[in-house]
Amino acid sequence: MTTDNAVFDITESLKEDVLKGFSASNKYIPSKYFYDQIGDKIFQEIMGLPEYYLTRAEGDIFNNFKSNLRSLFGSDGGFNLVELGAGDGLKTSILIDDFIENKIEFKYYPIDISENSNISLKASMMEQFPELKIELITSDYFSGIEKIKKHYARNVVLFLGSNIGNFSVKEASSFLKELKSVLSPNDLVLIGFDLKKNPKVVLDAYNDKSGVTKRFNLNLLTRINHELGADFKLENFDHCPTYDHNTGEVKSFLKVVKTCQVYITSLEQSFSFTAGELIHTEISQKYDVSEIKALASKVGFELKDNFFDENNYFVNSLWINK
Ligand code: AVJ
């Protein structure tokens, strides 16, 4: 374990954030806490749901445009393929497979705060691609990029899967400004944005019939029960997502269906939940193409190209650092 991780205690940070979030007048839990071991598994299930079009759309884009991406990425010689939060790396492996087949010079640097998911990612990548040059970086994104002892001059940064959607537009722009500050001129960034579309299609993706997303959302309470010694009864809460087509915001909430008190041992404190009350747990921001263009130029990148799936549900937007 690195020193970075030794000082970073996720349960301690959950405790602080839960205290803050449950003391606010509009209660909330930050969405980063979805991804414990159980949450990671449920998210894998979400990606396979018929309603959750995002993963399939991005996979289609990679399959259709991998040769375009290959020549754009490699136009400056070899490159460092840097991925922020790779997860299972399934979509990235479409690109890696194509790059290896075409004898492209590159080295893969997945950056993730979770050492466990990084280690299993490396194992599956090495199994698929024994010849792949790969170096795991267990760190937060920005110090991770700064840690790279560059094998090649150019960085190509992947931020896929609409992970950018977990930021509000404002937060996304400060995140991208910070990203730019650790990059060099000519570095590339490929970002997966989910697009505004028929509101029913969007909302169904966050409210699937089989209730997997509901389980994902409720797992936050299970996690708080386990890690902070709370006594949440899950049946007192329901999954409640909303979509505003004008702002492009999907917001997910846990809705209190029965008034209750919950004691949290590690905070030595009770919290009241009133029937009808909403606990905000996630934002999944949707964009249109003009908003993506505006965002790129606002944060100091030049938009090189946009790659769409057949339905125009999703876009991978390629930006170059000026
Ligand atoms: C992993 C942030 C892209 O917001 O679509 C899926 C997470 N939440 N279903 C998304 C999620 C509910 C997902 N991201």
Side-chain angles (χ1 to χ4, degrees), residues 205-253:
Y206 294 89
N207 204 15
D208 61 288
K209 279 207 201 87
S210 46
V212 178
T213 310
K214 175 176 176 169
R215 254 199 288 135
F216 186 63
N217 205 4
L218 283 168
N219 180 52
L220 284 170
L221 302 183
T222 307
R223 182 172 186 177
I224 294 168
N225 280 349
H226 289 158
E227 287 187 38
L228 305 183
D231 57 1
F232 277 106
K233 290 197 180 77
L234 300 198
E235 63 271 22
N236 292 344
F237 298 84
D238 199 3
H239 171 59
C240 176
T242 63
Y243 177 53
D244 180 336
H245 187 65
N246 293 313
T247 64
E249 286 174 314
V250 172
K251 288 184 182 165
S252 294
F253 298 93

CSV table of all heavy atoms in Angstrom, one decimal, residues 205-253:
chain,number,residue,atom,x,y,z
A,205,ALA,N,-33.7,4.6,-17.8
A,205,ALA,CA,-32.3,4.1,-17.6
A,205,ALA,C,-32.0,4.2,-16.1
A,205,ALA,O,-31.1,3.4,-15.6
A,205,ALA,CB,-31.3,4.9,-18.4
A,206,TYR,N,-32.6,5.0,-15.3
A,206,TYR,CA,-32.4,5.2,-13.9
A,206,TYR,C,-33.5,4.7,-13.0
A,206,TYR,O,-33.6,4.9,-11.8
A,206,TYR,CB,-32.1,6.7,-13.6
A,206,TYR,CG,-30.8,7.1,-14.3
A,206,TYR,CD1,-30.8,7.6,-15.6
A,206,TYR,CD2,-29.6,6.9,-13.6
A,206,TYR,CE1,-29.6,7.9,-16.2
A,206,TYR,CE2,-28.4,7.2,-14.3
A,206,TYR,CZ,-28.4,7.7,-15.6
A,206,TYR,OH,-27.3,8.0,-16.2
A,207,ASN,N,-34.5,4.0,-13.7
A,207,ASN,CA,-35.6,3.5,-13.0
A,207,ASN,C,-36.1,2.2,-13.6
A,207,ASN,O,-37.2,2.0,-14.0
A,207,ASN,CB,-36.7,4.5,-13.0
A,207,ASN,CG,-37.7,4.3,-11.9
A,207,ASN,OD1,-37.4,3.7,-10.9
A,207,ASN,ND2,-38.9,5.0,-12.0
A,208,ASP,N,-35.1,1.2,-13.7
A,208,ASP,CA,-35.4,0.0,-14.4
A,208,ASP,C,-36.5,-0.9,-13.8
A,208,ASP,O,-36.6,-0.8,-12.6
A,208,ASP,CB,-34.1,-0.8,-14.5
A,208,ASP,CG,-33.6,-1.2,-13.1
A,208,ASP,OD1,-33.1,-0.3,-12.4
A,208,ASP,OD2,-33.7,-2.4,-12.8
A,209,LYS,N,-37.2,-1.6,-14.6
A,209,LYS,CA,-38.3,-2.4,-14.2
A,209,LYS,C,-37.9,-3.5,-13.2
A,209,LYS,O,-38.6,-3.8,-12.2
A,209,LYS,CB,-38.9,-3.2,-15.4
A,209,LYS,CG,-39.9,-2.3,-16.2
A,209,LYS,CD,-40.9,-3.2,-16.9
A,209,LYS,CE,-41.5,-2.6,-18.1
A,209,LYS,NZ,-40.7,-2.8,-19.3
A,210,SER,N,-36.7,-4.0,-13.3
A,210,SER,CA,-36.3,-5.2,-12.5
A,210,SER,C,-35.8,-4.7,-11.1
A,210,SER,O,-35.4,-5.5,-10.3
A,210,SER,CB,-35.3,-6.0,-13.2
A,210,SER,OG,-34.3,-5.2,-13.8
A,211,GLY,N,-35.7,-3.3,-10.9
A,211,GLY,CA,-35.3,-2.8,-9.6
A,211,GLY,C,-33.8,-2.9,-9.2
A,211,GLY,O,-33.5,-2.8,-8.0
A,212,VAL,N,-33.0,-3.1,-10.2
A,212,VAL,CA,-31.6,-3.1,-9.9
A,212,VAL,C,-31.0,-1.8,-9.4
A,212,VAL,O,-30.3,-1.7,-8.5
A,212,VAL,CB,-30.8,-3.6,-11.2
A,212,VAL,CG1,-29.3,-3.7,-10.9
A,212,VAL,CG2,-31.2,-5.0,-11.6
A,213,THR,N,-31.5,-0.7,-10.1
A,213,THR,CA,-31.0,0.6,-9.7
A,213,THR,C,-31.5,1.0,-8.3
A,213,THR,O,-30.8,1.7,-7.6
A,213,THR,CB,-31.5,1.7,-10.8
A,213,THR,OG1,-31.1,1.2,-12.1
A,213,THR,CG2,-30.8,3.0,-10.5
A,214,LYS,N,-32.7,0.5,-8.0
A,214,LYS,CA,-33.2,0.7,-6.7
A,214,LYS,C,-32.3,0.1,-5.6
A,214,LYS,O,-32.0,0.7,-4.6
A,214,LYS,CB,-34.7,0.1,-6.6
A,214,LYS,CG,-35.2,0.2,-5.2
A,214,LYS,CD,-36.7,-0.3,-5.1
A,214,LYS,CE,-37.1,-0.3,-3.7
A,214,LYS,NZ,-38.6,-0.6,-3.5
A,215,ARG,N,-31.9,-1.2,-5.9
A,215,ARG,CA,-30.9,-1.9,-5.0
A,215,ARG,C,-29.6,-1.1,-4.9
A,215,ARG,O,-29.0,-1.0,-3.8
A,215,ARG,CB,-30.7,-3.3,-5.6
A,215,ARG,CG,-31.3,-4.4,-4.8
A,215,ARG,CD,-30.6,-5.7,-5.1
A,215,ARG,NE,-30.9,-6.2,-6.5
A,215,ARG,CZ,-30.0,-6.7,-7.3
A,215,ARG,NH1,-28.7,-6.8,-6.9
A,215,ARG,NH2,-30.4,-7.1,-8.5
A,216,PHE,N,-29.2,-0.6,-6.0
A,216,PHE,CA,-27.9,0.2,-6.1
A,216,PHE,C,-28.0,1.4,-5.1
A,216,PHE,O,-27.2,1.7,-4.3
A,216,PHE,CB,-27.7,0.7,-7.5
A,216,PHE,CG,-26.4,1.4,-7.8
A,216,PHE,CD1,-25.2,0.8,-7.6
A,216,PHE,CD2,-26.4,2.7,-8.2
A,216,PHE,CE1,-24.0,1.5,-7.9
A,216,PHE,CE2,-25.3,3.4,-8.5
A,216,PHE,CZ,-24.0,2.8,-8.4
A,217,ASN,N,-29.2,2.1,-5.2
A,217,ASN,CA,-29.4,3.3,-4.4
A,217,ASN,C,-29.5,2.9,-2.9
A,217,ASN,O,-28.9,3.5,-2.0
A,217,ASN,CB,-30.6,4.1,-4.9
A,217,ASN,CG,-30.6,5.5,-4.6
A,217,ASN,OD1,-29.7,6.1,-4.0
A,217,ASN,ND2,-31.7,6.2,-4.9
A,218,LEU,N,-30.3,1.9,-2.6
A,218,LEU,CA,-30.5,1.5,-1.2
A,218,LEU,C,-29.3,0.9,-0.6
A,218,LEU,O,-29.1,0.9,0.6
A,218,LEU,CB,-31.6,0.4,-1.2
A,218,LEU,CG,-33.1,0.9,-1.3
A,218,LEU,CD1,-34.0,-0.2,-1.5
A,218,LEU,CD2,-33.5,1.7,0.0
A,219,ASN,N,-28.3,0.4,-1.4
A,219,ASN,CA,-27.1,-0.1,-0.9
A,219,ASN,C,-26.3,0.9,-0.1
A,219,ASN,O,-25.5,0.6,0.8
A,219,ASN,CB,-26.2,-0.7,-2.0
A,219,ASN,CG,-24.9,-1.2,-1.5
A,219,ASN,OD1,-24.9,-2.1,-0.6
A,219,ASN,ND2,-23.8,-0.8,-2.1
A,220,LEU,N,-26.5,2.2,-0.4
A,220,LEU,CA,-25.9,3.3,0.4
A,220,LEU,C,-26.3,3.1,1.9
A,220,LEU,O,-25.4,3.3,2.8
A,220,LEU,CB,-26.3,4.7,-0.1
A,220,LEU,CG,-25.7,5.2,-1.4
A,220,LEU,CD1,-26.4,6.4,-1.9
A,220,LEU,CD2,-24.2,5.5,-1.2
A,221,LEU,N,-27.6,2.8,2.1
A,221,LEU,CA,-28.0,2.7,3.5
A,221,LEU,C,-27.5,1.4,4.1
A,221,LEU,O,-27.1,1.4,5.3
A,221,LEU,CB,-29.6,2.7,3.6
A,221,LEU,CG,-30.2,3.9,3.0
A,221,LEU,CD1,-31.7,3.8,3.2
A,221,LEU,CD2,-29.7,5.2,3.6
A,222,THR,N,-27.4,0.3,3.3
A,222,THR,CA,-26.8,-0.9,3.8
A,222,THR,C,-25.3,-0.7,4.2
A,222,THR,O,-24.8,-1.1,5.2
A,222,THR,CB,-26.8,-2.0,2.7
A,222,THR,OG1,-28.2,-2.1,2.3
A,222,THR,CG2,-26.3,-3.3,3.2
A,223,ARG,N,-24.6,0.1,3.4
A,223,ARG,CA,-23.2,0.4,3.6
A,223,ARG,C,-23.1,1.2,4.9
A,223,ARG,O,-22.2,0.9,5.8
A,223,ARG,CB,-22.7,1.2,2.5
A,223,ARG,CG,-21.2,1.5,2.7
A,223,ARG,CD,-20.5,2.2,1.5
A,223,ARG,NE,-19.1,2.3,1.7
A,223,ARG,CZ,-18.2,2.7,0.9
A,223,ARG,NH1,-18.6,3.1,-0.3
A,223,ARG,NH2,-16.9,2.8,1.2
A,224,ILE,N,-24.0,2.2,5.1
A,224,ILE,CA,-23.9,3.0,6.4
A,224,ILE,C,-24.3,2.1,7.6
A,224,ILE,O,-23.6,2.2,8.6
A,224,ILE,CB,-24.9,4.2,6.3
A,224,ILE,CG1,-24.4,5.2,5.2
A,224,ILE,CG2,-25.0,4.9,7.6
A,224,ILE,CD1,-25.3,6.3,4.8
A,225,ASN,N,-25.2,1.2,7.4
A,225,ASN,CA,-25.5,0.2,8.5
A,225,ASN,C,-24.2,-0.6,8.9
A,225,ASN,O,-23.9,-0.7,10.0
A,225,ASN,CB,-26.6,-0.8,8.0
A,225,ASN,CG,-28.0,-0.2,8.1
A,225,ASN,OD1,-28.2,0.9,8.7
A,225,ASN,ND2,-29.0,-0.9,7.6
A,226,HIS,N,-23.5,-1.1,7.8
A,226,HIS,CA,-22.4,-1.9,8.1
A,226,HIS,C,-21.2,-1.1,8.6
A,226,HIS,O,-20.5,-1.5,9.6
A,226,HIS,CB,-21.9,-2.7,6.9
A,226,HIS,CG,-22.9,-3.7,6.5
A,226,HIS,ND1,-23.0,-4.3,5.2
A,226,HIS,CD2,-23.8,-4.4,7.2
A,226,HIS,CE1,-23.9,-5.2,5.2
A,226,HIS,NE2,-24.5,-5.3,6.4
A,227,GLU,N,-20.9,0.0,7.9
A,227,GLU,CA,-19.6,0.7,8.2
A,227,GLU,C,-19.7,1.6,9.4
A,227,GLU,O,-18.7,1.9,10.1
A,227,GLU,CB,-19.1,1.4,7.0
A,227,GLU,CG,-18.5,0.4,6.0
A,227,GLU,CD,-17.8,1.1,4.8
A,227,GLU,OE1,-17.1,2.1,5.0
A,227,GLU,OE2,-18.0,0.6,3.7
A,228,LEU,N,-20.9,2.2,9.6
A,228,LEU,CA,-21.1,3.2,10.7
A,228,LEU,C,-22.0,2.7,11.8
A,228,LEU,O,-22.3,3.4,12.8
A,228,LEU,CB,-21.6,4.5,10.2
A,228,LEU,CG,-20.8,5.1,9.0
A,228,LEU,CD1,-21.4,6.5,8.6
A,228,LEU,CD2,-19.3,5.3,9.4
A,229,GLY,N,-22.4,1.4,11.7
A,229,GLY,CA,-23.2,0.8,12.8
A,229,GLY,C,-24.6,1.5,12.9
A,229,GLY,O,-25.0,1.9,14.0
A,230,ALA,N,-25.3,1.7,11.8
A,230,ALA,CA,-26.6,2.3,11.8
A,230,ALA,C,-27.7,1.2,11.7
A,230,ALA,O,-27.4,0.1,11.5
A,230,ALA,CB,-26.7,3.3,10.6
A,231,ASP,N,-28.9,1.7,12.0
A,231,ASP,CA,-30.0,0.7,11.9
A,231,ASP,C,-31.1,1.1,11.0
A,231,ASP,O,-32.3,1.0,11.3
A,231,ASP,CB,-30.6,0.4,13.4
A,231,ASP,CG,-31.1,1.7,14.0
A,231,ASP,OD1,-31.0,2.8,13.4
A,231,ASP,OD2,-31.5,1.6,15.2
A,232,PHE,N,-30.7,1.5,9.8
A,232,PHE,CA,-31.7,1.8,8.7
A,232,PHE,C,-32.5,0.5,8.4
A,232,PHE,O,-31.9,-0.6,8.2
A,232,PHE,CB,-31.0,2.2,7.4
A,232,PHE,CG,-30.6,3.7,7.4
A,232,PHE,CD1,-29.3,4.0,7.5
A,232,PHE,CD2,-31.6,4.6,7.2
A,232,PHE,CE1,-28.9,5.4,7.5
A,232,PHE,CE2,-31.2,6.0,7.1
A,232,PHE,CZ,-29.9,6.3,7.3
A,233,LYS,N,-33.8,0.7,8.3
A,233,LYS,CA,-34.7,-0.4,7.8
A,233,LYS,C,-35.0,0.0,6.3
A,233,LYS,O,-35.6,1.0,6.1
A,233,LYS,CB,-36.0,-0.5,8.6
A,233,LYS,CG,-35.8,-1.0,10.0
A,233,LYS,CD,-37.1,-1.5,10.5
A,233,LYS,CE,-37.0,-2.0,11.9
A,233,LYS,NZ,-36.9,-0.9,12.9
A,234,LEU,N,-34.5,-0.9,5.4
A,234,LEU,CA,-34.5,-0.5,4.0
A,234,LEU,C,-36.0,-0.3,3.5
A,234,LEU,O,-36.3,0.5,2.6
A,234,LEU,CB,-33.8,-1.5,3.1
A,234,LEU,CG,-32.3,-1.8,3.4
A,234,LEU,CD1,-31.7,-2.5,2.2
A,234,LEU,CD2,-31.6,-0.5,3.7
A,235,GLU,N,-36.9,-1.0,4.1
A,235,GLU,CA,-38.3,-1.0,3.6
A,235,GLU,C,-38.9,0.4,3.9
A,235,GLU,O,-40.0,0.7,3.4
A,235,GLU,CB,-39.2,-2.1,4.2
A,235,GLU,CG,-39.3,-2.1,5.7
A,235,GLU,CD,-38.2,-2.9,6.4
A,235,GLU,OE1,-37.1,-3.1,5.9
A,235,GLU,OE2,-38.4,-3.3,7.6
A,236,ASN,N,-38.3,1.2,4.7
A,236,ASN,CA,-38.8,2.6,5.0
A,236,ASN,C,-38.4,3.6,3.9
A,236,ASN,O,-38.7,4.8,4.0
A,236,ASN,CB,-38.3,3.1,6.3
A,236,ASN,CG,-39.0,2.4,7.5
A,236,ASN,OD1,-40.0,1.7,7.3
A,236,ASN,ND2,-38.4,2.5,8.7
A,237,PHE,N,-37.6,3.1,2.9
A,237,PHE,CA,-37.1,4.0,1.9
A,237,PHE,C,-37.4,3.5,0.5
A,237,PHE,O,-37.4,2.3,0.3
A,237,PHE,CB,-35.6,4.2,2.1
A,237,PHE,CG,-35.2,4.8,3.4
A,237,PHE,CD1,-35.1,4.0,4.5
A,237,PHE,CD2,-35.1,6.2,3.5
A,237,PHE,CE1,-34.9,4.6,5.8
A,237,PHE,CE2,-34.8,6.8,4.7
A,237,PHE,CZ,-34.7,6.0,5.9
A,238,ASP,N,-37.6,4.4,-0.5
A,238,ASP,CA,-37.8,4.0,-1.8
A,238,ASP,C,-36.9,4.7,-2.8
A,238,ASP,O,-36.3,5.8,-2.4
A,238,ASP,CB,-39.3,4.3,-2.2
A,238,ASP,CG,-39.7,3.5,-3.5
A,238,ASP,OD1,-38.9,2.7,-4.0
A,238,ASP,OD2,-40.9,3.7,-3.9
A,239,HIS,N,-36.7,4.2,-4.0
A,239,HIS,CA,-35.8,4.8,-5.0
A,239,HIS,C,-36.6,5.7,-5.8
A,239,HIS,O,-37.7,5.4,-6.3
A,239,HIS,CB,-35.2,3.7,-5.9
A,239,HIS,CG,-34.5,4.1,-7.1
A,239,HIS,ND1,-33.4,5.0,-7.0
A,239,HIS,CD2,-34.7,3.9,-8.4
A,239,HIS,CE1,-33.0,5.2,-8.3
A,239,HIS,NE2,-33.8,4.6,-9.1
A,240,CYS,N,-36.1,7.0,-6.0
A,240,CYS,CA,-36.9,8.0,-6.7
A,240,CYS,C,-36.1,8.9,-7.5
A,240,CYS,O,-35.5,9.9,-7.0
A,240,CYS,CB,-37.7,8.7,-5.5
A,240,CYS,SG,-38.7,10.1,-6.1
A,241,PRO,N,-35.9,8.6,-8.8
A,241,PRO,CA,-35.2,9.4,-9.7
A,241,PRO,C,-36.1,10.5,-10.4
A,241,PRO,O,-37.3,10.2,-10.7
A,241,PRO,CB,-34.6,8.5,-10.7
A,241,PRO,CG,-35.6,7.3,-10.8
A,241,PRO,CD,-36.3,7.3,-9.5
A,242,THR,N,-35.5,11.6,-10.8
A,242,THR,CA,-36.3,12.6,-11.6
A,242,THR,C,-35.4,13.1,-12.8
A,242,THR,O,-34.2,12.9,-12.7
A,242,THR,CB,-36.6,13.9,-10.8
A,242,THR,OG1,-35.3,14.5,-10.4
A,242,THR,CG2,-37.4,13.6,-9.5
A,243,TYR,N,-36.0,13.5,-13.8
A,243,TYR,CA,-35.2,14.1,-15.0
A,243,TYR,C,-35.9,15.4,-15.4
A,243,TYR,O,-37.1,15.5,-15.7
A,243,TYR,CB,-35.2,13.1,-16.1
A,243,TYR,CG,-34.5,13.6,-17.3
A,243,TYR,CD1,-33.2,14.2,-17.2
A,243,TYR,CD2,-35.1,13.7,-18.6
A,243,TYR,CE1,-32.5,14.7,-18.3
A,243,TYR,CE2,-34.4,14.2,-19.7
A,243,TYR,CZ,-33.1,14.7,-19.6
A,243,TYR,OH,-32.5,15.2,-20.7
A,244,ASP,N,-35.0,16.4,-15.5
A,244,ASP,CA,-35.5,17.7,-16.0
A,244,ASP,C,-34.8,17.9,-17.4
A,244,ASP,O,-33.6,18.1,-17.4
A,244,ASP,CB,-35.0,18.8,-15.0
A,244,ASP,CG,-35.5,20.2,-15.5
A,244,ASP,OD1,-35.6,20.4,-16.7
A,244,ASP,OD2,-35.6,21.1,-14.6
A,245,HIS,N,-35.5,17.8,-18.4
A,245,HIS,CA,-35.0,17.9,-19.8
A,245,HIS,C,-34.3,19.2,-20.1
A,245,HIS,O,-33.4,19.3,-20.9
A,245,HIS,CB,-36.1,17.6,-20.8
A,245,HIS,CG,-35.6,17.5,-22.2
A,245,HIS,ND1,-34.8,16.5,-22.6
A,245,HIS,CD2,-35.8,18.3,-23.3
A,245,HIS,CE1,-34.5,16.6,-23.9
A,245,HIS,NE2,-35.1,17.7,-24.4
A,246,ASN,N,-34.8,20.3,-19.5
A,246,ASN,CA,-34.2,21.6,-19.7
A,246,ASN,C,-32.8,21.7,-19.1
A,246,ASN,O,-31.9,22.2,-19.8
A,246,ASN,CB,-35.1,22.7,-19.2
A,246,ASN,CG,-36.4,22.8,-20.0
A,246,ASN,OD1,-36.4,22.8,-21.2
A,246,ASN,ND2,-37.5,22.8,-19.3
A,247,THR,N,-32.7,21.3,-17.9
A,247,THR,CA,-31.3,21.4,-17.3
A,247,THR,C,-30.5,20.2,-17.6
A,247,THR,O,-29.2,20.3,-17.5
A,247,THR,CB,-31.4,21.5,-15.7
A,247,THR,OG1,-32.0,20.3,-15.3
A,247,THR,CG2,-32.3,22.7,-15.3
A,248,GLY,N,-31.1,19.1,-18.1
A,248,GLY,CA,-30.3,17.9,-18.4
A,248,GLY,C,-30.0,17.1,-17.1
A,248,GLY,O,-29.2,16.2,-17.2
A,249,GLU,N,-30.5,17.5,-16.0
A,249,GLU,CA,-30.2,16.8,-14.7
A,249,GLU,C,-31.1,15.6,-14.4
A,249,GLU,O,-32.3,15.8,-14.2
A,249,GLU,CB,-30.2,17.7,-13.5
A,249,GLU,CG,-29.1,18.7,-13.5
A,249,GLU,CD,-29.4,19.7,-12.4
A,249,GLU,OE1,-30.5,20.2,-12.2
A,249,GLU,OE2,-28.4,20.0,-11.6
A,250,VAL,N,-30.5,14.4,-14.3
A,250,VAL,CA,-31.2,13.3,-13.6
A,250,VAL,C,-30.7,13.4,-12.2
A,250,VAL,O,-29.5,13.6,-11.9
A,250,VAL,CB,-30.7,11.9,-14.1
A,250,VAL,CG1,-31.3,10.8,-13.2
A,250,VAL,CG2,-31.2,11.7,-15.6
A,251,LYS,N,-31.7,13.5,-11.2
A,251,LYS,CA,-31.3,13.4,-9.8
A,251,LYS,C,-31.9,12.2,-9.2
A,251,LYS,O,-33.1,11.9,-9.4
A,251,LYS,CB,-31.9,14.7,-9.1
A,251,LYS,CG,-31.2,16.0,-9.5
A,251,LYS,CD,-31.7,17.1,-8.6
A,251,LYS,CE,-31.1,18.4,-9.0
A,251,LYS,NZ,-31.9,19.6,-8.5
A,252,SER,N,-31.1,11.5,-8.5
A,252,SER,CA,-31.6,10.3,-7.8
A,252,SER,C,-31.8,10.6,-6.3
A,252,SER,O,-30.9,11.3,-5.7
A,252,SER,CB,-30.7,9.1,-8.0
A,252,SER,OG,-30.8,8.7,-9.3
A,253,PHE,N,-32.9,10.1,-5.7
A,253,PHE,CA,-33.2,10.4,-4.3
A,253,PHE,C,-33.6,9.0,-3.7
A,253,PHE,O,-34.0,8.1,-4.3
A,253,PHE,CB,-34.4,11.3,-4.2
A,253,PHE,CG,-34.2,12.7,-4.7
A,253,PHE,CD1,-34.6,13.0,-6.0
A,253,PHE,CD2,-33.6,13.7,-4.0
A,253,PHE,CE1,-34.4,14.3,-6.6
A,253,PHE,CE2,-33.4,15.0,-4.5
A,253,PHE,CZ,-33.8,15.3,-5.8
